Amino acid sequence: MKSFYVTSPIYYVNDVPHIGHAYTSLACDVLARFMRFDGYRVHFLSGTDEHGQKVAKAAALAGVDPQAFTDKVSQNFRALLPAMGCSNDDFIRTTEQRHKDSVQAIWRAMAARKTPKGNDNIYLGKYDGWYAVRDEAYYDESELTTGPDGKKRAPSGAEVEWVEEPSYFFRLSDWGDWLLEWYEKNPDAVGPATRRNEVMSFVKQGLHDLSISRTTFDWGIKVPGDEKHVMYVWLDALTNYITAVGYPNVESDLFKTFWPASVHMVGKDIVRFHAVYWPAFLEAAGLAPAKRVYAHGWWTNEGQKISKSLGNVIDPIKLIETYGLDQVRYFLMREVPFGQDGDYSQAAMIRRMNTDLANDLGNLGQRVLSFVAKNAGACVPTPGDFSDADRAMLDKAAALLAIVRADMAQQGFHKALDAVFAVVAEANRYVDAQAPWTLRKTDPARMATVLYVLMEILRRVALLLQPYMPTTMARLLDQLAVPTDARDASAWDKVLVAGTALPAPQGLFPRYVDPAAPVAGEGPKKK
């Protein structure tokens, strides 16, 4: 059985879950669900990153020890996954013993091997430089800006501080040529293309050795053989991806089946860690790098940058409570080309719900299935000979699987939806042109053929939309009487059987009416 391993980032536990966390997890879930649909053995991982100076400071401010703090906050991120309908197979915490064992094992493996230039991968030295606690990242002075308040800031906007302390270093400077050669040999290793170019440009400028331990705080995993040091949080965090598939037991079924990972899904702000540091760490430890890192963009809210200070952080749970889970899942995957930045607005959300879902897909399903219930004996109609128009429609629907497969391979979630909804739009034009309500009186046999074509299009559309809207598409497939064991790609050509009894049709997507919108004849409602 083919295998597929997809990971979300592990989320840093100094905050509450927001739309960015939901977006990345949802993208992973859609991909995981599609690959299962397509016959793959899938492992979908998410989790929380719980070490580092930032967490230690947040716990101190809360007046609790770091473990108690992370136990509480990690649960918020764990709870987000089922709330978003995510089907993850594992949830990892970096405070688990399995992870501590894994991180110490990869340190030993890196320390035991040489760089491409024959030097030790890890050496003891002294770090002095600029460090951003918020990013848990080091920055070169050339990357910093100075604000009106005289404080230096990283490209992310995080304030930096000057740090001087003993540190173990990873000899990243020896890995630049290897990385560039690896990018060239693996053109899909970093996506989209803009991020690949950005990563390669960064490496070409020359790499500095990377501090991978700290001594000024102790909330972290101890360096093997030198417990005065705790490991740099990014070496710790990145290793979660191999911990979850059994490392350091590289002979385990999980590891041999799923490593190297198929896709690490990340936000664009952490692409450097995943596409530069992580492959170098892995190769230094004698492990294969992940096959692909894909970095998506950021959301704004009604045209404004999202920030706590503006009070416009988007709570995904409130979105779901307001609009419905499948509607939110669909909007997030359709509204913005995946990989680019995008803007959330209530108007766009309602437009997608009422136009794409209620009018286009929902109305098509309702009018076809209601008509079949009333005029075709509430069972799958028996088709006659197909006309050219019928075959054109059926062929367009049949071609969708190959199109969606290709889009999913490039994380083109929005492109896949564009293709499916283009067929939905074509089917709506087809039903208007064929007018089965007229054929009912003039040519009942032709009416049955038209209805069969439309039901078969609905079946294929529903199959492909399952990863995006699993609950609603399960209801549509129920109404089409598609057996539960015929809802994956292996049943793509298993057409509907004429004469199969159908349940009573039910609406799929009710139109959304904004409670704050004025009613006809009234003025605006007070909020």
Side-chain angles (χ1 to χ4, degrees):
M1 192 176 186
K2 298 171 291 186
S3 63
F4 191 86
Y5 181 23
V6 59
T7 70
S8 78
I10 52 172
Y11 302 118
Y12 210 52
V13 293
N14 71 323
D15 204 351
V16 295
H18 54 66
I19 194 171
H21 304 115
Y23 188 52
T24 319
S25 298
L26 173 57
C28 293
D29 184 62
V30 170
L31 192 52
R33 287 178 181 272
F34 178 79
M35 300 310 288
R36 292 190 196 105
F37 164 84
D38 208 19
Y40 286 72
R41 181 182 173 190
V42 170
H43 198 67
F44 166 20
L45 175 70
S46 190
T48 45
D49 179 8
E50 303 181 17
H51 289 130
Q53 188 175 1
K54 189 163 53 173
V55 170
K57 284 188 173 183
L61 285 172
V64 296
D65 72 86
Q67 187 64 61
F69 178 82
T70 58
D71 287 346
K72 180 180 179 181
V73 182
S74 177
Q75 184 56 38
N76 296 333
F77 288 90
R78 187 188 291 267
L80 175 66
L81 294 163
M84 288 298 301
C86 291
S87 59
N88 54 299
D89 299 284
D90 194 3
F91 185 93
I92 191 167
R93 298 180 59 190
T94 57
T95 49
E96 295 175 41
Q97 189 60 47
R98 61 169 172 163
H99 183 64
K100 295 175 183 177
D101 294 343
S102 177
V103 174
Q104 291 191 326
I106 196 173
W107 180 288
R108 292 189 190 99
M110 291 162 60
R113 294 167 59 87
K114 301 293 185 180
T115 73
K117 297 183 179 180
N119 298 309
D120 291 338
N121 276 305
I122 296 175
Y123 64 93
L124 182 62
K126 178 184 176 184
Y127 178 77
D128 52 7
W130 296 104
Y131 186 74
V133 174
R134 195 180 83 188
D135 297 347
E136 298 282 10
Y138 303 97
Y139 292 98
D140 187 87
E141 186 146 14
S142 64
E143 298 180 271
L144 306 180
T145 55
T146 303
D149 56 2
K151 294 179 179 179
K152 292 185 180 293
R153 285 182 165 76
S156 64
E159 189 176 329
V160 297
E161 59 186 38
W162 185 261
V163 174
E164 294 185 15
E165 60 183 314
S167 178
Y168 285 94
F169 285 81
F170 175 69
R171 208 179 300 269
L172 187 64
S173 58
D174 277 11
W175 285 92
D177 291 342
W178 179 87
L179 282 165
L180 291 172
E181 183 179 350
W182 183 67
Y183 301 140
E184 293 293 345
K185 288 181 179 177
N186 300 278
D188 287 334
V190 184
T194 52
R195 302 299 163 211
R196 181 177 185 272
N197 294 339
E198 172 188 311
V199 163
M200 292 185 69
S201 175
F202 175 75
V203 175
K204 286 176 180 176
Q205 290 172 16
L207 297 174
H208 301 291
D209 292 350
L210 183 67
S211 171
I212 55 171
S213 76
R214 302 290 304 274
T215 57
T216 51
F217 65 95
D218 63 1
W219 180 239
I221 297 174
K222 304 294 185 182
V223 169
D226 191 347
E227 295 202 346
K228 296 191 297 292
H229 292 252
V230 296
M231 290 187 214
Y232 173 48
V233 69
W234 273 103
L235 175 57
D236 170 355
L238 290 162
T239 303
N240 92 90
Y241 302 127
I242 54 175
T243 301
V245 289
Y247 188 79
N249 183 4
V250 296
E251 296 302 317
S252 67
D253 174 64
L254 268 179
F255 195 89
K256 292 200 296 188
T257 301
F258 291 113
W259 195 261
S262 306
V263 180
H264 290 320
M265 199 79 74
V266 301
K268 66 180 183 179
D269 54 322
I270 55 174
V271 68
R272 180 188 302 179
F273 304 100
H274 286 79
V276 179
Y277 303 165
W278 183 224
F281 291 161
L282 286 164
E283 187 69 17
L287 301 172
K291 296 175 185 175
R292 183 164 169 83
V293 174
Y294 194 92
H296 63 72
W298 291 340
W299 285 85
T300 52
N301 186 355
E302 304 283 356
Q304 284 189 310
K305 183 179 178 180
I306 295 174
S307 73
K308 286 182 184 178
S309 59
L310 290 174
N312 65 346
V313 175
I314 300 172
D315 182 348
I317 304 302
K318 288 183 179 177
L319 284 185
I320 292 165
E321 290 171 351
T322 303
Y323 302 115
L325 175 56
D326 279 358
Q327 287 88 338
V328 170
R329 286 173 62 102
Y330 173 78
F331 173 82
L332 291 177
M333 291 292 98
R334 181 80 192 274
E335 180 67 10
V336 177
F338 196 72
Q340 298 181 20
D341 292 342
D343 184 52
Y344 168 82
S345 72
Q346 184 184 39
M349 180 82 208
I350 295 172
R351 183 174 63 252
R352 287 290 183 192
M353 290 170 62
N354 287 343
T355 302
D356 300 3
L357 298 181
N359 287 359
D360 295 349
L361 178 57
N363 188 46
L364 178 66
Q366 182 71 13
R367 69 198 297 206
V368 170
L369 292 169
S370 296
F371 197 86
V372 169
K374 292 177 183 177
N375 301 288
C379 63
V380 177
T382 302
D385 293 336
F386 293 127
S387 68
D388 290 345
D390 300 337
R391 292 192 183 282
M393 275 307 316
L394 291 170
D395 289 348
K396 286 177 181 177
L400 281 175
L401 178 56
I403 294 169
V404 170
R405 271 189 184 132
D407 288 335
M408 287 290 184
Q410 296 296 314
Q411 291 71 62
F413 304 112
H414 62 291
K415 290 183 179 179
L417 286 172
D418 287 347
V420 172
F421 274 81
V423 170
V424 170
E426 192 72 21
N428 275 305
R429 289 190 288 270
Y430 168 87
V431 71
D432 289 338
Q434 299 299 322
W437 48 88
T438 300
L439 294 171
R440 179 186 59 182
K441 300 174 183 177
T442 61
D443 193 345
R446 176 63 190 154
M447 175 198 74
T449 302
V450 169
L451 293 174
Y452 182 88
V453 169
L454 288 163
M455 289 186 66
E456 183 58 25
I457 291 165
L458 283 169
R459 180 186 73 90
R460 293 194 194 266
V461 163
L463 289 176
L464 291 177
L465 291 180
Q466 288 178 106
Y468 297 91
M469 298 179 285
T471 302
T472 313
M473 290 307 101
R475 287 172 48 214
L476 178 52
L477 290 166
D478 288 345
Q479 292 183 57
L480 293 165
V482 175
T484 55
D485 63 355
R487 298 185 180 185
D488 60 25
S490 67
W492 184 245
D493 293 322
K494 196 176 286 187
V495 296
L496 296 168
V497 178
T500 303
L502 301 172
Q506 297 177 343
L508 299 172
F509 298 105
R511 286 186 62 80
Y512 180 83
V513 178
D514 183 359
V519 177
E522 296 181 2
K525 292 186 177 181
K526 293 182 179 179
K527 291 189 177 180

